[in-house]
Structures are given as C-alpha cells and as structure tokens.
C-alpha cells in the first residue's frame, strides 16, 4: 500500500510524533497532522495484512487552529526527520506532549494525572522552540555532504542550517565542509568551551579524537563544572541539567547525614548535588556502567569525599551492595530510554528509601516502572514534565515515589505548571505502536 493516497479525519495524538486516524477500519499513524484535521495522506509503510499503517499528511483539507507554517524549510513529508511538531504552535506542542504523558500513565499504570502540563525549560528555545540543541550528530552522504536523516530512513537530507541547533553548532562549519570517508560527524557546543568541537565518524566505524568537554551547571547559589566526553551523554538543552538537578533536589529534600543513591549516574550530575545536600556526615553511592563516563565522574566528584563511584550494571551493583548491608534514604533513578525494569525497581524498593526521584525521557517506560513500583508498595506522589526538546515529540518527566504508608494521603499536584539496550528500545517502540493501534478510536 506504500504510495496510496486517501482522505481521512485525524484523531488523538500518539506517542512518537504522529496522530491517529482510520482508513477503511485500519489504524493509520499520520505524521505532519494535528488532532481534528482532515487531511490527504500518503502511505509510507504497511501493507494489506498489517495491523496498522504509517502515513504522511501531504495536504491539509481542514486545518487545526493550532497549525502554523513550519519555520524550517526542511520540515515536512519526506524531508528531515529531526523534528516532529514544527507545524504546531509551541503552546500546542506542549499540550500534545502532556496528552501523551497522561495517556501513557493512564493506560500502562492506571494513574490519573489529568492536570499535568508540560513546562518550558527556561532559556534558549523557551519562547520560539529554536536554537537550543547543543549536541547534534549529522549524517554524511556518499558525496561527503553533511545533513540529517529522514524519518525512519537511512536517507540523508542535506541541509544548510538546522534551526533547533545552537548557532555555535552551525558556525562550526560542519555543513559547509566536505566529509569524504565519513559516515557522520558529531558537533558539541559545550557551555565551558569557547567554540563547538567536531568529532568525525569514519566510514570504517572508528571515530576521530573525542575531546573532553566542560559543562557548567548552576542554579540559585549552587554551581559546578562537569567534564564529559564530547560523544558522551549530556542533556542537549543548555538549561536542562540545572533545571532537572534543582527539581530533583527539591523533590527529595535531602538532609544532613542521609544516605543517597544516584543510579545510572553518568558523569555525576545528580551525585554532586546530593553530595552537597547530605554533607560530610552523609554518603552517596553513584553507579554507572559506561567506563568512560565513570572516569569523568571520578574526576568530577574528586572533591566530594562522601561520594563513592562504582562501575557496573545497576542491578549487579545494587545486588552486591544490598548483600553488604547498604542503606538508602533517597534515590535518584535516571535510566536509559528503555527504563529501569522490574529487577532494578524491586531492588530499590527492598532498600526502603523514603523517597525516589525518577528522571524519565520516555513516558511509556516511566509508566511501566511506576506500575511495578505500585505493586511493590511505592506510589507516585508528584510529577512534573518539561519541554527540553521543543519541536520534537520528546518530553522529560520527573516523578517522585514514596512508600505507600507515607504517601496514602498524597496526590499528584494537578495544579502544577508547568541507554543500556538500544534493541530493547526498538522493541518497546514496536510494542507501543501495536498497543496504540489496538486502542485507537
């Protein structure tokens, strides 16, 4: 059916940057559309025997009042796949993301967070959704031109600008340089560097020199510098790290002398904040599997004598630590997109912390883990969502979990205003698509 065109009515937003419609009784995931629109679609994936189809809206017959002209000329059907919602006003983008989070938590965890809103991350991009992405991996064509991949494709859209990237990323010259012999190039605009750095990714699978970048994080009267590999993980929005750290510390409210866990600690962002909060009489155990990130964490936390950094899988380290009699008053859980999983959630709850702050980049993984936590006696008592990725479908959530006995009278604040296994991520996405198709109106 690929290439077939038809008219249809667009329904609710789905998890993944599309809206849901029906064609002859079959579910269709429609990109470049908005709820309530009537559009002409072109099928991009699927056949007569498939449970659902994917399509692009190639013509808008009845437009949503929230539709705008995409600011980027490369956004649209068959073009760059880096953004999902450039055709929606920024406030409506956040409404769509909030709807996705609410639906996922309701369906997968039975949780009602009806009043949830998605809040902007203050700073660059908060008002127009542009100029915020500090880390971009560009793909390279066979001719050596840099660009961005099209949606669900290996094809490269050659571009001369990327409006969601920071200007230092573009001013690095990455899009004007010939990258013969490369499959891609990473560009990193770290807050502690004067210029963006470029790391070529060679066609033979090797990479160029991977320099250490310096990221500076500060909020209120707290500030810290973090070394991180240019190709390592760091939040791509310049205001995200400080926003998330401040929110986690506020939710957990650590006090002097407490014991804390920072799981999937990366280069030590949350561990540093926890360390200062629990003081010299407290203790922080930071756990990370990636060896290079651990090296940076050891350097970043060298002056924090109350922090212990351990390398290894979180479940393995937690099992060993539990046998050694570890205690935990508060926990920060910042897993990869696939989530923490039942085993890790079980290990955390067995330690009996008074509070767990869960930082989630995928609402479906968060919902699955929250459902497990409730089975094990921990309830969701607070939830905030942040738009750290404007123009895309991604949303960051920070959830507070507390023991059921202490949280029985607590409710999620309805007035709030606003990567261990990539294969596992793909499987989860496939499962999500199937479930969305089954539940589509």
């Amino acid at each position: 059916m690929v290439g077939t065109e038809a008219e249809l009515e667009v329904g609710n937003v789905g998890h993944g940057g599309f809206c849901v419609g029906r064609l002859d009784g079959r579910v269709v995931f429609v990109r470049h559309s908005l709820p309530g629109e009537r559009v002409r679609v072109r099928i991009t994936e699927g056949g007569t025997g498939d449970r659902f189809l994917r399509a692009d809206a190639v013509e808008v017959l009845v437009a949503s009042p929230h539709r705008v002209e995409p600011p980027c000329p490369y956004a649209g059907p068959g073009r760059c796949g880096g953004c999902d919602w450039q055709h929606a006003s920024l406030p409506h983008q956040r409404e769509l993301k909030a709807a996705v989070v609410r639906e996922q938590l309701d369906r997968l965890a039975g949780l009602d967070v009806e009043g949830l809103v998605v809040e902007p991350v203050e700073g660059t991009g908060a008002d127009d959704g542009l100029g915020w992405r500090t880390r971009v991996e560009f793909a390279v064509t066979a001719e050596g031109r840099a660009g961005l991949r099209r949606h669900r494709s290996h094809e490269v859209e050659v571009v001369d600008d990327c409006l969601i990237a920071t200007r230092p990323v573009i001013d690095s010259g990455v899009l004007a340089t010939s990258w013969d012999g490369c499959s891609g190039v990473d560009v990193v605009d770290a807050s502690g560097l004067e210029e963006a750095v470029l790391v070529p990714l060679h066609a033979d699978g090797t990479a160029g020199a991977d320099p250490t970048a310096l990221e500076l994080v500060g909020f209120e009267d707290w500030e810290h510098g973090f070394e991180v590999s240019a190709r390592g993980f760091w939040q791509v929005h310049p205001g995200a790290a400080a926003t998330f750290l401040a929110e986690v510390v506020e939710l957990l409210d650590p006090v002097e002398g407490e014991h804390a866990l920072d799981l999937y600690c990366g280069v030590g962002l949350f561990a540093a904040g926890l360390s200062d909060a629990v003081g010299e009489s407290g203790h922080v155990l930071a756990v990370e599997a990636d060896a290079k990130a651990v090296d940076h964490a050891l350097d970043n936390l060298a002056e924090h004598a109350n922090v212990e950094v351990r390398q290894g899988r979180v479940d393995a380290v937690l099992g060993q630590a539990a046998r050694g009699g570890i205690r935990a008053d508060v926990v920060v859980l910042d897993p990869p997109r696939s989530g923490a999983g039942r085993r890790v959630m079980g290990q955390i709850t067995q330690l009996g912390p008074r509070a767990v702050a869960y930082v989630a980049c995928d609402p479906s993984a968060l919902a699955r883990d929250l459902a497990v936590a409730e089975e094990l006696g921990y309830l969701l008592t607070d939830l905030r969502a942040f738009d750290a990725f404007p123009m895309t479908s991604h949303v960051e959530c920070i959830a507070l979990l507390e023991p059921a006995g202490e949280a029985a009278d607590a409710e999620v604040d309805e007035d709030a205003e606003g990567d261990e296994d990539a294969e596992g991520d793909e499987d989860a996405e496939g499962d999500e698509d199937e479930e969305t198709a089954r539940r589509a109106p």
Side-chain angles (χ1 to χ4, degrees):
M1 296 184 67
V2 173
T4 301
E5 294 192 3
E7 293 183 13
L8 53 77
E9 302 283 347
V10 178
N12 294 337
V13 63
H15 177 30
F18 55 80
C19 296
V20 181
R22 282 191 177 271
L23 177 62
D24 298 330
R26 187 175 306 175
V27 171
V28 186
F29 298 154
V30 186
R31 279 177 60 81
H32 310 292
S33 66
L34 294 174
E37 292 188 328
R38 183 165 184 82
V39 297
R40 174 171 292 278
V41 302
R42 180 179 298 130
I43 305 300
T44 57
E45 292 183 40
T48 55
D50 292 324
R51 293 182 59 87
F52 60 88
L53 307 172
R54 296 184 186 273
D56 285 339
V58 295
E59 182 182 358
V60 179
L61 305 175
V62 178
S64 163
H66 304 292
R67 178 172 283 274
V68 299
E69 186 68 22
C72 176
Y74 302 105
R79 304 298 299 276
C80 174
C83 294
D84 304 294
W85 298 122
Q86 288 216 12
H87 57 287
S89 68
L90 194 57
H92 192 53
Q93 291 181 31
R94 291 168 182 154
E95 292 173 353
L96 295 174
K97 295 180 184 187
V100 167
V101 175
R102 292 194 297 265
E103 190 275 337
Q104 294 293 296
L105 266 62
D106 177 39
R107 179 170 62 81
L108 296 175
L111 296 170
D112 181 3
V113 291
E114 188 58 35
L116 179 76
V117 298
V118 172
E119 309 168 51
V121 173
E122 295 303 319
T124 305
D127 297 326
D128 61 6
L130 304 176
W132 54 268
R133 191 174 186 100
T134 60
R135 291 168 176 259
V136 183
E137 181 175 329
F138 292 94
V140 174
T141 68
E143 295 74 30
R145 296 288 306 280
L148 296 162
R149 296 197 186 279
R150 294 169 181 162
H151 181 64
R152 294 177 66 85
S153 172
H154 293 293
E155 294 184 6
V156 178
E157 179 84 14
V158 175
V159 300
D160 60 11
D161 197 359
C162 175
L163 295 184
I164 66 171
T166 62
R167 287 305 88 189
V169 167
I170 303 304
D171 293 343
S172 70
V174 59
L175 298 175
T177 301
S178 178
W179 298 97
D180 291 335
C182 293
S183 60
V185 55
D186 279 350
V187 186
V188 178
D189 173 23
S191 57
L193 300 180
E194 293 184 1
E195 297 180 346
V197 298
L198 295 87
V199 183
L201 312 177
H202 304 303
D204 63 4
T206 62
D210 186 2
T212 295
L214 178 64
E215 297 285 1
L216 305 176
V217 178
F219 62 92
E220 296 181 353
D221 58 350
W222 190 93
E223 61 182 10
H224 200 292
F226 295 88
E227 292 184 351
V228 57
S229 165
R231 300 201 66 214
F233 175 78
W234 187 259
Q235 291 289 344
V236 297
H237 191 293
T243 298
F244 299 163
L245 178 57
E247 179 64 16
V248 162
V249 172
E250 180 178 349
L251 286 174
L252 291 178
D253 193 21
V255 298
E256 184 82 23
E258 285 196 312
H259 288 234
L261 290 178
D262 180 9
L263 305 179
Y264 309 94
C265 72
V267 300
L269 173 67
F270 295 113
L274 291 171
S275 170
D276 289 342
V278 302
E280 294 181 359
S281 61
H283 180 263
V284 179
L285 173 61
V287 184
E288 172 58 50
D290 183 78
K292 186 172 289 187
V294 168
D295 287 342
H296 286 305
L298 290 169
D299 290 337
N300 294 330
L301 301 168
E303 296 181 1
H304 297 259
N306 61 347
V307 178
E308 176 187 359
V309 180
R310 294 192 195 178
Q311 181 185 350
R313 288 178 57 95
V314 166
D315 57 350
V317 174
L318 278 183
Q320 181 184 43
R323 290 190 294 272
I326 188 178
R327 51 177 279 223
D329 299 297
V330 294
V331 176
V332 177
L333 181 60
D334 185 14
R337 184 168 297 277
S338 52
R342 179 174 290 273
R343 179 178 176 83
V344 170
M345 294 304 296
Q347 291 173 316
I348 292 171
T349 57
Q350 286 175 3
L351 293 174
R354 64 169 180 81
V356 178
Y358 189 133
V359 183
C361 59
D362 183 84
S364 60
L366 171 64
R368 289 191 292 268
D369 286 341
L370 291 180
V372 172
E374 184 171 357
E375 291 178 23
L376 300 173
Y378 275 72
L379 302 182
L380 174 69
T381 58
D382 204 348
L383 177 67
R384 294 183 70 182
F386 295 94
D387 190 17
F389 309 89
M391 300 295 177
T392 80
S393 62
H394 300 296
V395 58
E396 199 87 9
C397 296
I398 302 180
L400 178 66
L401 305 178
E402 297 178 284
E406 301 173 18
D409 297 326
E411 296 179 357
V412 175
D413 183 5
E414 296 185 352
D415 297 323
E417 295 181 359
D419 298 84
E420 287 181 330
D421 184 358
E423 182 177 352
D425 292 351
E426 294 173 0
D427 292 343
E429 180 182 356
D431 294 342
E432 182 62 37
D433 289 342
E434 291 283 357
E435 185 62 30
T436 301
R438 285 195 290 272
R439 291 175 52 87

